[in-house]
Amino acid sequence: MPPRLPLFATAARGTEALLAEELEELGAVRIRRHPGGVRFAANLAEALRVCLWTRLAMRVLWPVGEGEAPGADGLYAVAEAVPWEEYLTPDTTFAVEATLQKSEHAHSGFVALKLKDAIVDRMRARAGRRPDVDSRTPDVQVVAHLSGTWLQLSLDLAGEPLNRRGYRIRQTAAPLKETLAAAMLRAARYTGEEPVLDPMCGSGTLLVEAAWMAARHAPSLGRHFAVERWPELGPLARPLLADLRAEAQASQRPVPIPLWGFDRDEEALGAARANLRAAGLTGTVQLQLGDATHALPLPSGAHGLLVTNPPYGDRLGTGGQKGMKSFYFQLGEQFDALSAFRAAILSGNPAFESAFHHRPSGRLSLWNGPIACTLLSYPAPQQAAGGPARRRPPTLKADGR
Ligand SMILES: C[S@@+](CC[C@H](N)C(=O)[O-])C[C@H]1O[C@@H](n2cnc3c(N)ncnc32)[C@H](O)[C@@H]1O
């Protein structure tokens, strides 16, 4: 068997344990969690399987160098020491993307530029000619992470981040990242066998991710990976991927469960319709205009998983935090009426939990980009132990707190 590479998969903060679990299912070994990602080992075929099937990872990185990198000269020295001629040829395009954490440098663009200079200089010296930069679709995407003065350099096997599945052709104001939507479903222990309802579906991300899980559809089946264009690994990766894609194609099934999506905004529904079509899910999800604070027109006997991320802030124009509390309270009232649905609700507003006035059975802290959120799980009201797990409605203070 070819040697196993040490790899690092990145994910939204708070979803690392879920990603570790997914990677293990996909055959990765030596799995170790870190803030913002998971280290693991995999041979090329296993790594490609991860790229094709992971629903939670944003990037799959292969670390190629690291070191103490003080000042601009330090950046250059660490990057210059990496044997780039093993990964690039003068005809391979590349790009450098840098992220900074507690760094002396203010601009990631400056760091990326210094690293690019070092790569170009080393390639000119060792290979006689420099490779070109292509910032849009590089063959080799170099990912740099500078934490303090510690620089880590990696190659991104997928290239474009894995949350870009290709179906988001229309955006709404606050769409969830595809990978975070998938993490919510995994946290809810959703397996694709249960009907799904998103009463505030926006552009439909949770519905697409749930339907793809139900269809056993590999989330990156419709896209290519940068590693296919790498000089050395590309010729090995292409036939392996052809087999993995054929196997993934064959394992698909028609979506066996109903899915319902509602939103009170016509434009959001239009985006959801377009995105579902792009995901190959036309006719799979019933989309309808609806207000989640009122009874939704669901078939009698409907049951399953309610999964959603309600608005966090006052985009509704309902009078600040006081208005949000009363909105969440009304959502809680309607949840009683959906008595055969368990729920997983991502909230970025600390007022949600008490205003919703149901007792959660689980709670997971995670980050939606820069927003600290809590994913709250609720048993179906008809199953909540000892009858409806209710608290008294919140008293809304006059100052809105
Ligand atoms: C944070 S967004 C959901 C984003 C969605 N998960 C996505 O990935 O695009 C919240 C959505 O709730 C909708 N919404 C707000 N109030 C609503 C209500 N009372 N009934 C139904 N939908 C509502 C908004 O129109 C918006 O599309």
Side-chain angles (χ1 to χ4, degrees), residues 11-332:
R13 290 281 294 274
T15 67
E16 298 90 343
L18 298 164
L19 173 61
E21 200 182 89
E22 183 191 56
L23 291 173
E24 193 173 354
E25 284 167 20
L26 292 173
V29 296
R30 298 205 291 279
I31 294 168
R32 272 187 298 129
R33 281 191 263 149
H34 290 263
V38 175
R39 283 192 191 287
F40 66 103
N43 65 27
L44 185 59
E46 291 160 347
L48 295 171
R49 179 183 295 280
V50 167
C51 288
L52 190 62
W53 279 99
T54 178
R55 297 182 196 275
L56 274 61
M58 306 253 293
R59 292 182 180 279
V60 178
L61 302 176
W62 179 21
V64 292
E66 61 183 336
E68 201 57 56
D73 291 347
L75 295 172
Y76 187 96
V78 172
E80 216 260 339
V82 173
W84 295 107
E85 60 282 2
E86 290 178 15
Y87 312 117
L88 300 170
T89 72
D91 299 316
T92 317
T93 61
F94 79 104
V96 183
E97 192 181 309
T99 52
L100 313 181
Q101 195 181 16
K102 295 188 187 138
S103 163
E104 63 189 296
H105 303 288
H107 299 291
S108 57
F110 169 79
V111 171
L113 199 65
K114 271 284 142 205
L115 300 173
K116 188 256 320 168
D117 288 347
I119 296 171
V120 161
D121 289 350
R122 175 155 180 144
M123 285 299 291
R124 206 186 273 118
R126 308 278 169 135
R129 203 154 48 83
R130 59 156 285 180
D132 286 335
V133 169
D134 176 351
S135 51
R136 284 169 60 87
T137 46
D139 298 327
V140 175
Q141 175 73 58
V142 178
V143 175
H145 183 63
L146 186 63
S147 178
T149 52
W150 188 257
L151 175 65
Q152 290 173 302
L153 293 166
S154 306
L155 308 186
D156 185 337
L157 267 75
E160 213 183 348
L162 288 163
N163 60 292
R164 303 212 189 121
R165 323 271 210 227
Y167 63 74
R168 182 164 287 164
I169 56 172
R170 269 174 67 185
Q171 297 256 13
T172 47
L176 269 183
K177 268 213 170 97
E178 299 83 336
T179 39
L180 188 60
M184 285 171 64
L185 289 159
R186 177 172 272 270
R189 299 295 160 214
Y190 183 66
T191 58
E193 307 298 332
E194 204 181 352
V196 171
L197 161 67
D198 184 347
M200 289 165 280
C201 68
S203 63
T205 319
L206 283 159
L207 294 167
V208 172
E209 293 299 322
W212 273 9
M213 285 171 79
R216 298 180 185 152
H217 174 81
S220 292
L221 188 56
R223 53 165 285 174
H224 283 274
F225 304 116
V227 64
E228 295 173 73
R229 303 190 297 274
W230 290 4
E232 213 173 293
L233 287 188
L236 302 172
R238 288 192 291 269
L240 288 171
L241 269 166
D243 289 349
L244 286 167
R245 288 185 177 120
E247 186 189 283
Q249 197 81 45
S251 76
Q252 297 192 93
R253 64 174 185 175
V255 175
I257 39 102
L259 296 105
W260 303 280
F262 294 89
D263 204 286
R264 63 169 201 168
D265 178 2
E266 256 312 348
E267 233 172 85
L269 279 181
R273 221 166 268 125
N275 294 340
L276 283 158
R277 193 181 321 119
L281 293 168
T282 302
T284 307
V285 179
Q286 294 168 50
L287 286 177
Q288 224 176 306
L289 205 59
D291 184 339
T293 61
H294 292 82
L296 294 170
L298 288 160
S300 75
H303 64 279
L305 172 68
L306 181 161
V307 60
T308 197
N309 71 310
Y312 305 157
D314 189 29
R315 283 220 184 86
L316 306 172
T318 45
Q321 190 68 344
K322 186 175 171 185
M324 292 310 292
K325 281 187 186 175
S326 122
F327 171 59
Y328 295 148
F329 176 71
Q330 290 169 55
L331 291 179

